[in-house]
Amino acid sequence: MRAFAINKICLKDLSFEQAIDATARGGFHGITPWYDDVSHLSPSEARRLIADSGLTVSGFCNCGLYALKGKDGRRAAIDEAKRNIEYAAELGASSIVTVVGGLLPASKSLDEARDFAFDCLAETLEFARTTPVTLALEALHPMYTPDWSVVTSLATANDWCDRLGAGIGLAVDSYHTWWDPSVYAEIEKAGKKGRIATYHISDWLVPTNHILLDRGMPGEGIIDLAEFDTKVQSAGYDGPIEVEIFSERLWKLDPDQFLADLMKRCQSTYSG
Ligand code: ZN
């Protein structure tokens, strides 16, 4: 039996406390909170609530987005990353999702944005290495380049990991990478280096009405999630399958009904 985890964004409108109860009721194995979900609690309080519900900490979101406030915001962005890494460590998360940010404000230079993000990431990594938390570098779909991430393929993410060394791995996300002709070769490469730190899934809907907020449950869209999973497993990843769905449509549903439908879909997609 595969273990399924819920990224808290799937239950955006629930409090952290409501979300862990619903996730446990739904038969899921773990949960990945975002900093804003748990910032009203100390890490030890949040850790205890998760353990008391019978769930595990699947991961933590997130750090990065270095370009958001421009070059002058560099220090604040890195400090915020360090704060979130510290929280993740005390929560007991083995990795933290790391999204490096897009273009710098008022700039069209991709080279400048990539150099800036890489430099900030390297500094963040120095701090992360003093903790047990692995940075899980996530490549996002290329349409997210301006706002969210100049790392848009697993090839680039693998290359950055090669250059940065220990303490950094990958968040492999089906939604962001399924289209890429080299995706399975890059998953295999990541597996050989033991760097798949976490694994996110959701489906690509046709048509997609909103690039960020219209993702689907397994089987609703066109990604061959079973094949994708075979490659991730063959690469040696044996952790939970984390469902991460941003969806204005699904956020409107009754959480228990949504999670029951989701679990059925997960079991039928990942049964083999
Ligand atoms: Zn993801």
Side-chain angles (χ1 to χ4, degrees):
M1 269 297 274
R2 308 294 298 282
F4 301 107
I6 289 290
N7 186 296
K8 166 68 174 63
I9 201 66
C10 296
L11 302 166
K12 181 177 78 67
D13 296 331
L14 268 56
S15 70
F16 170 66
E17 291 82 353
Q18 290 169 328
I20 55 180
D21 286 348
T23 299
R25 272 199 306 276
F28 291 84
H29 176 266
I31 191 157
T32 290
W34 292 58
Y35 179 78
D36 286 348
D37 295 320
V38 288
S39 56
H40 61 295
L41 299 167
S42 72
S44 59
E45 286 169 330
R47 185 178 184 150
R48 185 176 48 75
L49 286 173
I50 292 172
D52 287 352
S53 69
L55 298 174
T56 61
V57 179
S58 180
F60 197 71
C61 286
N62 58 22
C63 72
L65 300 181
Y66 301 110
L68 213 53
K69 292 185 181 123
K71 285 185 174 167
D72 291 346
R74 174 198 162 103
R75 179 50 37 210
I78 292 173
D79 286 347
E80 190 179 306
K82 289 180 180 176
R83 178 200 68 190
N84 290 7
I85 291 164
E86 248 168 9
Y87 196 104
E90 290 177 47
L91 187 68
S94 59
S95 67
I96 182 166
V97 173
T98 305
V99 173
V100 298
L103 291 172
L104 286 152
S107 167
K108 293 182 180 176
S109 171
L110 273 167
D111 283 343
E112 185 186 27
R114 290 193 188 109
D115 290 347
F116 179 75
F118 186 86
D119 205 45
C120 293
L121 181 60
E123 190 175 333
T124 304
L125 179 59
E126 274 178 39
F127 175 78
R129 285 187 186 130
T130 68
T131 77
V133 179
T134 300
L135 298 184
L137 176 60
E138 182 159 17
L140 302 192
H141 188 280
M143 284 184 80
Y144 287 67
T145 306
D147 308 318
W148 302 105
S149 179
V150 289
V151 173
T152 53
S153 70
L154 286 182
T156 303
N158 266 325
D159 176 51
W160 283 32
C161 287
D162 285 342
R163 289 162 63 194
L164 288 163
I168 186 162
L170 301 183
V172 173
D173 188 317
S174 64
Y175 186 82
H176 292 297
T177 61
W178 68 274
W179 56 272
D180 182 348
S182 72
V183 63
Y184 294 148
E186 295 298 329
I187 286 171
E188 190 183 344
K189 176 179 173 183
K192 281 190 180 135
K193 307 219 172 193
R195 68 166 60 127
I196 303 178
T198 190
Y199 170 33
H200 298 165
I201 62 105
S202 65
D203 213 341
W204 186 279
L205 302 178
V206 178
T208 291
N209 295 313
H210 190 288
I211 192 66
L212 179 63
L213 304 176
D214 190 29
R215 303 186 194 181
M217 292 187 281
E220 286 191 307
I222 47 72
I223 305 177
D224 191 339
L225 291 168
E227 181 185 47
F228 194 99
D229 186 58
T230 303
K231 305 295 183 186
V232 172
Q233 279 198 82
S234 305
Y237 178 82
D238 60 1
I241 298 171
E242 179 177 321
V243 184
E244 184 195 41
I245 307 177
F246 292 68
S247 168
E248 283 184 331
R249 172 179 60 93
L250 298 172
W251 288 331
K252 292 188 188 120
L253 301 180
D254 171 79
D256 285 315
Q257 281 173 15
F258 160 64
L259 289 171
D261 187 13
L262 182 60
M263 178 54 90
K264 254 189 234 153
R265 290 172 173 278
C266 284
Q267 285 172 337
S268 73
T269 303
Y270 299 100
S271 59

